[in-house]
């Protein structure tokens, strides 16, 4: 017997975690032809989730939306029109619901989990290094990463797996050991070194500059990034963690004078997502995850905890125990069950620890152990 109701959180307004409203018995629609019922195990918070809750996200969002874009679980039931997956398959959420491969189309790019469609990173970092054909990271390249958040940590590991040299920036000496343990070749404290762009360029082979920059800080660091980049280098702008800058910003002439590529990155396609998960499996890559575990009912506390961490080198995990929620899929998406419609609900108090669940990140189709 499939459940008729689910526990869920929705965003009502733009007042941060105070906008989260809990419904202990939200109705689950009848399973449709191209839908799946997913038993969620856990979800993780991103910086994007925080700013959406504050109404500060630059792209469209909706009120009364189920928040959070990242999650993983097990398929409980499928509709008669679903053929790609079966009950028992382990699945991940796909952030961009209408993007299968290639460049985005305006029509599909407006749909994103936890923003304009109900929700449940990593993928930002992969797109930055592998999303631009002809300019992907290669062995021997030099990659500049920023900070110790989820994107920076995955970018570091993806670059090292490709055989690249990594220069990582961070703002606290206490975080340097974590970065070093992941394989960073050089570490720059951006709070202690105002000319960090020049320093990064000097640390590259023959002081020619870096091949790739994974730009997550935004306006406050872009001038320094141009000082670090080499001719024909690529800077992928992913975020704006540093907020606005009062200083004069670089112009398009900087791209011309440095003969470099600057591109905006907003996650990626399903094909990139699958490529990334294969690489995670093949290289044994693991997320840097906080040891603190939250239940679904503690969602507000999880939001507040992440704010207090100030972009720590961790990804707070919101554990939802055994959870259930519907996920609509269209046939032209190949029944992509990675698109969940909600953060869903635990039916018991069991907490799924990260080490027990990490294999969910490997592929989009795995069976539960018997």
């Amino acid at each position: 017997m499939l459940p008729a109701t689910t526990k869920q959180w929705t965003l009502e307004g733009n007042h941060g975690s105070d906008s989260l409203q809990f419904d202990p018995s939200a109705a689950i629609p009848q399973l449709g032809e191209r839908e799946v019922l997913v038993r969620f195990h856990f979800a993780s918070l991103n910086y994007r989730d925080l700013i959406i809750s504050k109404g500060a996200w630059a792209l469209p969002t909706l009120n009364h939306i189920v928040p959070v874009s990242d999650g993983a679980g097990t398929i409980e039931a499928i509709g008669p029109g679903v053929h790609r997956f079966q009950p028992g398959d382990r699945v991940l959420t796909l952030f961009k619901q209408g993007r299968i491969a290639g460049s985005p189309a305006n029509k599909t790019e407006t749909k994103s989990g936890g923003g304009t469609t109900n929700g449940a990173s990593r993928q930002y970092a992969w797109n930055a290094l592998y999303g631009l054909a002809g300019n992907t990271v290669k062995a021997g390249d030099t990659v500049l990463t920023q900070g110790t958040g989820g994107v920076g940590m995955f970018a570091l590991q993806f670059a090292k797996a490709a055989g690249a040299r990594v220069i990582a920036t961070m703002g606290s000496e206490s975080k340097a050991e974590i970065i070093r343990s992941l394989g960073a070749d050089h570490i720059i404290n951006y709070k202690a070194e105002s000319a960090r762009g020049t320093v990064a360029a000097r640390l590259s082979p023959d002081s020619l500059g870096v091949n790739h920059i994974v730009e997550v800080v935004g306006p406050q660091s872009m001038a320094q990034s141009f000082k670090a980049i080499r001719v024909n280098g690529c800077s992928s702008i992913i975020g704006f963690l540093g907020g606005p800058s009062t200083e004069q910003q670089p112009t398009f002439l900087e791209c011309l004078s440095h003969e470099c590529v600057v591109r905006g990155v907003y996650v990626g396609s399903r094909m990139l997502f699958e490529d990334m998960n294969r690489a995670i499996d093949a290289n044994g890559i693991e997320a840097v995850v906080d040891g603190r575990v939250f239940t679904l009912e503690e969602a507000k506390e999880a939001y507040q905890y992440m704010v207090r961490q100030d972009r720590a080198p961790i990804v707070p995990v919101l554990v939802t125990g055994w959870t259930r929620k519907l996920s609509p899929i269209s046939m032209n998406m190949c029944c992509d069950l990675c698109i969940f419609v909600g953060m869903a609900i635990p039916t018991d108090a069991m907490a799924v620890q990260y080490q027990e669940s990490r294999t969910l990140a490997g592929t989009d189709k795995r069976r539960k152990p018997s």
Side-chain angles (χ1 to χ4, degrees):
M1 172 79 64
L2 298 180
T5 63
T6 178
K7 299 175 186 177
Q8 72 175 24
W9 289 89
T10 56
L11 279 174
E12 312 292 343
N14 54 10
H15 306 292
S17 61
D18 290 337
S19 300
L20 289 168
Q21 300 296 319
F22 186 64
D23 186 347
S25 58
I28 296 179
Q30 183 177 358
L31 188 65
E33 180 182 3
R34 299 171 183 175
E35 294 178 335
V36 297
L37 187 65
V38 174
R39 180 183 295 179
F40 265 80
H41 299 296
F42 66 84
S44 63
L45 292 178
N46 291 295
Y47 179 71
R48 170 183 177 270
D49 301 315
L50 302 184
I51 59 177
I52 284 178
S53 71
K54 297 177 181 179
W57 187 239
L59 298 175
T61 59
L62 298 177
N63 201 34
H64 194 67
I65 200 77
V66 177
V68 183
S69 58
D70 289 352
T74 305
I75 296 174
E76 184 86 354
I78 64 173
V82 176
H83 305 290
R84 189 181 183 202
F85 294 91
Q86 298 297 321
D89 287 345
R90 296 180 177 185
V91 290
L92 290 166
T93 53
L94 180 66
F95 185 80
K96 277 298 177 183
Q97 299 192 5
R99 188 175 176 188
I100 305 303
S103 299
N106 291 336
K107 185 176 181 180
T108 61
E109 281 298 275
T110 61
K111 297 181 179 181
S112 59
T116 55
T117 58
N118 289 326
S121 186
R122 210 175 30 241
Q123 202 178 358
Y124 288 99
W126 185 262
N127 193 350
L129 298 176
Y130 289 98
L132 184 61
N135 206 339
T136 60
V137 66
K138 301 179 294 297
D141 282 354
T142 303
V143 176
L144 176 64
T145 66
Q146 298 175 339
T148 52
V151 173
M153 295 292 91
F154 269 107
L156 193 166
Q157 293 181 85
F158 290 154
K160 293 304 296 183
R165 164 184 309 104
V166 175
I167 303 170
T169 67
M170 52 80 200
S172 170
E173 291 298 333
S174 64
K175 301 172 184 176
E177 187 56 37
I178 296 176
I179 296 175
R180 191 173 291 110
S181 70
L182 295 177
D185 298 276
H186 302 283
I187 300 174
I188 301 172
N189 187 329
Y190 61 81
K191 291 183 178 179
E193 181 54 76
S194 59
R196 57 188 178 276
T198 301
V199 172
R202 289 173 180 168
L203 290 172
S204 67
D206 299 322
S207 299
L208 294 176
V210 303
N211 301 87
H212 296 271
I213 299 175
V214 183
E215 176 68 66
V216 298
V217 178
Q220 291 193 12
S221 72
M222 290 177 68
Q224 289 297 321
S225 293
F226 276 115
K227 295 181 184 298
I229 203 165
R230 66 176 294 159
V231 171
N232 292 326
C234 180
S235 178
S236 296
I237 302 176
I238 296 172
F240 48 95
L241 293 177
S245 174
T246 57
E247 301 178 1
Q248 184 177 354
Q249 294 299 297
T251 68
F252 70 91
L253 290 176
E254 297 288 340
C255 301
L256 178 62
S257 62
H258 289 83
E259 298 181 52
C260 64
V261 174
V262 178
R263 60 188 288 255
V265 171
Y266 189 44
V267 199
S269 67
R270 195 189 75 201
M271 289 186 66
L272 276 176
F273 187 64
E274 293 173 345
D275 288 345
M276 178 193 72
N277 283 318
R278 282 190 288 269
I280 288 173
D281 260 1
N283 293 282
I285 293 174
E286 298 183 6
V288 181
V289 180
D290 190 89
R292 176 78 184 271
V293 177
F294 295 90
T295 65
L296 182 66
E297 287 80 1
E298 296 173 322
K300 284 190 176 183
E301 289 85 345
Y303 270 69
Q304 294 160 4
Y305 179 77
M306 189 171 186
V307 170
R308 292 195 301 270
Q309 295 309 297
D310 188 27
R311 302 187 298 278
I314 54 177
V315 180
V317 175
L318 179 61
V319 174
T320 58
W322 293 110
T323 61
R324 307 167 190 266
K325 191 65 179 177
L326 279 173
S327 173
I329 309 296
S330 65
M331 287 298 289
N332 63 3
M333 295 181 191
C334 301
C335 296
D336 191 335
L337 307 187
C338 292
I339 308 174
F340 301 123
V341 166
M343 203 161 69
I345 14 17
T347 55
D348 59 35
M350 184 184 70
V352 181
Q353 300 292 337
Y354 174 69
Q355 286 300 327
E356 298 172 346
S357 308
R358 59 178 292 272
T359 55
L360 294 177
T363 62
D364 60 0
K365 186 173 183 179
R366 290 185 175 187
R367 299 298 175 85
K368 292 186 296 184
S370 57

